[in-house]
Amino acid sequence: PLSVRLDRYREMWSNLGRLTVESFRETTQSFEVVVRTRDDERATLSFQLQPAPPFRLRGLRIEVGSE
């Protein structure tokens, strides 16, 4: 449900704060964005996509502290 997604977003915002993009990498079925958090920690956001159009989002993984 949307309310669960919004709660998750608010929790992530509370933990990470504003993100600053450092780099972007694309693969055939995903893309990764490396960011710096409010506390200057490195984090990687990995977005998994459907392999064919319309390329909907299948999943999101966030790794904090990854180098």
Side-chain angles (χ1 to χ4, degrees), residues 24-33 45-51 55-61:
F24 173 86
R25 184 173 74 112
E26 186 177 359
T27 67
T28 56
Q29 293 185 16
S30 68
F31 63 91
E32 293 182 349
V33 181
L45 288 69
S46 300
F47 298 83
Q48 291 80 42
L49 307 174
Q50 290 179 333
F55 303 109
R56 290 191 174 125
L57 183 64
R58 290 185 350 177
L60 169 63
R61 182 178 70 214

Side-chain angles (χ1 to χ4, degrees), residues 8-67:
R8 178 66 56 116
Y9 169 80
R10 289 181 185 112
E11 180 182 350
M12 286 190 304
W13 173 259
S14 175
N15 292 335
L16 302 176
R18 183 177 301 267
L19 303 177
T20 303
V21 175
E22 289 193 334
S23 65
F24 173 86
R25 184 173 74 112
E26 186 177 359
T27 67
T28 56
Q29 293 185 16
S30 68
F31 63 91
E32 293 182 349
V33 181
V34 177
V35 299
R36 286 279 171 189
T37 69
R38 160 188 64 223
D39 298 328
D40 202 35
E41 288 185 285
R42 179 172 275 170
T44 302
L45 288 69
S46 300
F47 298 83
Q48 291 80 42
L49 307 174
Q50 290 179 333
F55 303 109
R56 290 191 174 125
L57 183 64
R58 290 185 350 177
L60 169 63
R61 182 178 70 214
I62 301 173
E63 295 180 59
V64 178
S66 58
E67 291 294 327

